[in-house]
Amino acid sequence: MLKQRTIIIGALATLALIALTGTAENSQQLVERYTDLAGSTDNSKSLVNGLRDGTTITLKSGSNVTTIDPPTQKMGFGNVDNALALTQASLEKQGITHATPEQLKTALTAVLDQRAAGQGWGEIAHSLGFNLGEIKSAANRPEHVQQARVERPERAERADKPDRVERMERPMRPERPERPQK
């Protein structure tokens, strides 16, 4: 019984981890997802590749160039996705929808500094006043498509089940003949 519970809990934890970290499969998906945040495709590529490889990020806006040296080491796609999702949510909370490279640098550095200090993504989200799961599920939904709630048609009534047939009575066993005595 205890072994079954352990297996079930482990499976649920694995599914939750996959749901949270396994949303972005490659850098192209991340570049597309965060192009609006970065201001251009080139800036988005620089963000994703710089975080992924742990190298300097270069953001350009007109003639202005901003560089970011990530305080973290190389990051996986899920971690890059988490960092950028939290950065975007932090900027939106401040009312910034089209961030300048400097604003983006400030918000991203705040997130990455906490990560470099050893905090988990949930702790970082909580410190910024967010729930990571809500941010990730909102980021995975297309913003331009609003799904209308579809009313379900009423279920057709089920036909009544036929009455259960009673069991037939077993025929009585014949009596055992008596055994002769030896």
Side-chain angles (χ1 to χ4, degrees):
M1 184 74 159
L2 183 60
K3 190 173 184 179
Q4 280 182 323
R5 284 185 184 168
T6 305
I7 292 171
I8 291 171
I9 290 171
L12 290 174
T14 303
L15 287 175
L17 184 62
I18 290 170
L20 288 176
T21 62
T23 57
E25 294 176 4
N26 63 41
S27 62
Q28 185 59 37
Q29 288 177 334
L30 290 173
V31 167
E32 290 172 7
R33 184 175 296 159
Y34 295 108
T35 296
D36 288 341
L37 171 67
S40 71
T41 304
D42 289 337
N43 284 350
S44 185
K45 284 180 186 175
S46 182
L47 270 173
V48 171
N49 293 332
L51 291 172
R52 179 94 169 110
D53 300 333
T55 58
T56 301
I57 301 166
T58 304
L59 304 176
K60 297 176 183 174
S61 176
S63 61
N64 295 335
V65 176
T66 303
T67 59
I68 304 170
D69 290 317
T72 55
Q73 301 292 321
K74 294 180 179 182
M75 298 170 78
F77 291 122
N79 288 330
V80 171
D81 191 21
N82 288 340
L84 294 176
L86 288 172
T87 300
Q88 186 171 27
S90 175
L91 288 168
E92 288 174 358
K93 184 177 180 180
Q94 298 171 30
I96 302 170
T97 53
H98 299 289
T100 65
E102 275 302 316
Q103 291 170 325
L104 182 57
K105 176 182 180 176
T106 303
L108 180 61
T109 304
V111 170
L112 294 178
D113 283 342
Q114 291 180 48
R115 183 66 178 179
Q119 289 186 349
W121 292 117
E123 292 173 306
I124 295 169
H126 185 70
S127 73
L128 297 172
F130 302 113
N131 179 320
L132 183 61
E134 291 173 4
I135 291 172
K136 297 294 287 186
S137 76
N140 291 331
R141 269 186 254 125
E143 293 178 10
H144 54 79
V145 177
Q146 291 189 3
Q147 297 175 352
R149 191 172 272 249
V150 178
E151 294 290 327
R152 287 187 177 183
E154 288 186 31
R155 288 187 176 183
E157 288 186 34
R158 292 186 181 183
D160 290 335
K161 289 184 178 179
D163 291 337
R164 187 174 182 154
V165 179
E166 288 187 30
R167 284 187 166 187
M168 292 180 51
E169 286 187 29
R170 288 181 148 190
M172 292 193 55
R173 282 187 170 176
E175 287 187 29
R176 286 179 115 173
E178 285 188 33
R179 297 177 98 187
Q181 294 287 334
K182 288 187 180 180

